[in-house]
Amino acid sequence: MERPVDVDPAWMKRVEDVASRLESSPVELAYRLVRASDTKLINMASGNPDPEIVPVKELSEIAMEVLSALGYEALVYPDAGGLEELRKEIRLYMAREGVSIPRDYDIVVTSGAQHAFRLLSEVLGSGRGDVHVICESPTFVETLAPLKLRSEVHGIPFESGRLDLDAMEDTLRALGPGRALIYLIPTCHNPMGVTMDEEDRRRVLELASEYEALVIEDEPYRAFSDSQPPALVTMDEERRVIYVSTLSKVLAPGLRIGWVAAPAEVAGVLTKLENYDITTSTLTQHVALEAFRSGLVDSTASELRDHYRNKRRVLEESLSEHMPPSVAWEPGGCGLFKLITARGFDAEQQLAEAIRRGVIYVPARKFFVPEGEEGSMRLSLGPPTPDEIAEGVRVLSELISERTGA
């Protein structure tokens, strides 16, 4: 058998440089463990929406209607930047959700929000050291990953559920004007579940203006919120905010429909870059278009508010009833997730034991910048039923109490 030829060392050095900046996702690890499990787990790890609320039947009918009406045209390569009719419907939908996209902004359809962030990282993060990303700590680890590949990242902590904007100002001042990109999940934060109030949003925009920073507003959970402060992009008067959203949480993640709303000149560059990989699907764009036109998106968004409010109530009550005093969390909130922190507990080390007992969560240490406490866990409200949420919390509380002596 011939010995394989080694890759040229010069090229391997480039590969290893990139590899050194790639991190394994704790979310993807949890997904793999769920798929590999021989027994049914109470899945408090997955970011998928509740299967009870995903309109599978309606989406199946729309898909068949699209294929019947368009035939071959539904299966061709996609238009750069997305179908024009879909972009118009997205703008209208955003307006119905209280998000007024400026007239001189264009919308670029992407293959989910994650694709949007990869494109933005290439456009805005020209090289490590040139651009610094300021983000909440904790934040969503998988969105942050592509930004970290091309930028230095600075985490801003929460204090009693509010982002420490004084610390943000100190960081901006230290970096100097024109060097920072502020990445925020201001509504139904992942993983905290908190929503930034209007006063703090206004101050973020003031800081961005003073220090010549851009802001990326990540809003996949706006439809989950009962009280929706104005979006940053709506409040912005200086074209500093780039807005990202998706149908993954409102409708279905497998459609891979996301979008970026950005100043026309930025959107134009994103469109050219998006056309390099052609990852968006013509078929699912047409399905999304008809889901908007038929009212399916709006009706599902309206239904999910009550649906997840009830599940969050069950989670809050179960945490209060079962968790020992060593476990902390922010009460209330909205969205799909809740972050809890158990003092003296190693969430990564104990994950295998939790799975053995029938529950899985996402260890959340890597959601922090820099990495946070070992006892941090993200709990999902998506797949588990209310009864499973209550049982999952009970099982986790027993495990935490046993391991910490609480």
Side-chain angles (χ1 to χ4, degrees):
M1 185 175 178
E2 292 185 9
R3 179 180 179 276
V5 178
D6 292 335
V7 177
D8 185 287
W11 285 102
M12 272 309 300
K13 187 176 185 305
R14 297 179 184 221
V15 173
E16 289 165 357
D17 178 60
V18 173
S20 69
R21 289 180 275 134
L22 295 176
E23 298 177 359
S24 298
S25 164
V27 179
E28 177 57 29
L29 171 62
Y31 284 3
R32 288 202 302 267
L33 291 172
V34 170
R35 290 192 292 267
S37 176
D38 294 330
T39 60
K40 187 180 187 303
L41 298 174
I42 297 176
N43 186 354
M44 303 187 78
S46 174
N48 285 315
D50 190 330
E52 286 191 12
I53 208 168
V54 176
V56 176
K57 178 176 179 292
E58 292 86 348
L59 288 171
S60 299
E61 292 171 352
I62 289 174
M64 293 304 297
E65 290 168 4
V66 165
L67 285 167
S68 177
L70 298 180
Y72 171 76
E73 292 301 320
L75 302 172
V76 298
Y77 286 114
D79 295 341
L83 295 172
E84 182 178 356
E85 299 94 330
L86 178 57
R87 298 200 304 268
K88 290 178 181 177
E89 288 294 334
I90 288 170
R91 186 182 289 268
L92 292 171
Y93 169 69
M94 289 285 90
R96 294 193 295 274
E97 286 291 321
V99 181
S100 178
I101 302 297
R103 289 180 178 273
D104 61 348
Y105 272 41
D106 287 339
I107 289 173
V108 180
V109 178
T110 59
S111 183
Q114 197 69 15
H115 182 215
F117 285 105
R118 190 186 65 75
L119 296 176
L120 286 167
S121 73
E122 293 188 36
V123 172
L124 302 176
S126 59
R128 288 178 65 80
D130 294 335
V131 175
H132 293 252
V133 173
I134 296 175
C135 67
E136 301 137 321
S137 180
T139 188
F140 181 41
V141 63
E142 292 198 337
T143 297
L144 190 62
L147 298 174
K148 288 172 71 174
L149 275 176
R150 289 178 167 80
S151 310
E152 299 297 328
V153 179
H154 308 261
I156 306 298
F158 286 88
E159 296 291 341
S160 300
R162 293 183 69 175
L163 194 62
D164 186 345
L165 296 182
D166 290 336
M168 178 183 286
E169 182 170 15
D170 291 343
T171 304
L172 286 165
R173 185 186 300 114
L175 292 174
R179 299 193 67 200
L181 179 66
I182 302 171
Y183 166 65
L184 300 173
I185 313 171
T187 305
C188 305
H189 184 271
N190 177 8
M192 292 282 287
V194 299
T195 294
M196 181 182 287
D197 65 26
E198 186 171 351
E199 178 186 352
D200 284 356
R201 292 174 189 236
R202 201 168 299 283
R203 188 174 176 206
V204 166
L205 293 175
E206 290 170 355
L207 291 174
S209 176
E210 182 177 354
Y211 292 98
E212 300 172 19
L214 289 181
V215 179
I216 298 181
E217 180 176 19
D218 185 9
E219 266 211 329
Y221 306 104
R222 187 171 185 83
F224 290 69
S225 175
D226 290 315
S227 57
Q228 302 170 330
L232 289 164
V233 72
T234 300
M235 300 170 66
D236 178 27
E237 297 179 355
E238 298 184 1
R239 305 171 85 241
R240 293 190 179 278
V241 178
I242 295 171
Y243 185 90
V244 179
S245 193
T246 177
L247 288 182
S248 291
K249 307 305 183 185
V250 174
L251 208 57
L255 292 175
R256 307 313 301 138
I257 298 292
W259 59 87
V260 181
E265 55 270 40
V266 176
V269 177
L270 289 170
T271 296
K272 290 180 181 177
L273 190 59
E274 185 272 330
N275 199 40
Y276 284 177
D277 55 32
I278 320 181
T279 63
T280 54
S281 161
T282 303
L283 176 58
T284 59
Q285 285 189 65
H286 278 290
V287 171
L289 173 60
E290 296 307 318
F292 278 121
R293 286 175 170 172
S294 69
L296 180 61
V297 175
D298 292 76
S299 62
T300 305
S302 178
E303 181 184 351
L304 65 80
R305 290 187 182 100
D306 288 339
H307 185 81
Y308 287 108
R309 187 190 304 113
N310 177 58
K311 296 181 83 170
R312 183 168 289 273
R313 177 186 58 78
V314 172
L315 177 61
E316 292 277 352
E317 291 175 354
S318 301
L319 289 170
S320 297
E321 179 181 355
H322 296 294
M323 285 296 176
S326 60
V327 180
W329 65 90
E330 285 296 327
C334 56
L336 267 183
F337 305 106
K338 173 74 74 178
L339 183 79
I340 68 171
T341 302
R343 190 172 61 252
F345 183 78
D346 190 326
E348 292 178 358
Q349 187 179 79
Q350 297 300 326
L351 181 59
E353 177 60 21
I355 292 171
R356 193 187 70 78
R357 299 185 186 199
V359 182
I360 187 166
Y361 55 82
V362 175
R365 177 174 59 89
K366 291 186 177 180
F367 284 63
F368 291 81
V369 181
E371 292 184 358
E373 294 185 40
E374 293 178 340
S376 296
M377 292 166 273
R378 191 189 76 171
L379 305 182
S380 171
L381 295 170
T385 66
D387 286 346
E388 288 174 335
I389 290 171
E391 176 63 10
V393 169
R394 187 193 65 78
V395 171
L396 284 179
S397 69
E398 287 184 354
L399 176 59
I400 292 168
S401 297
E402 289 173 13
R403 294 299 188 263
T404 63

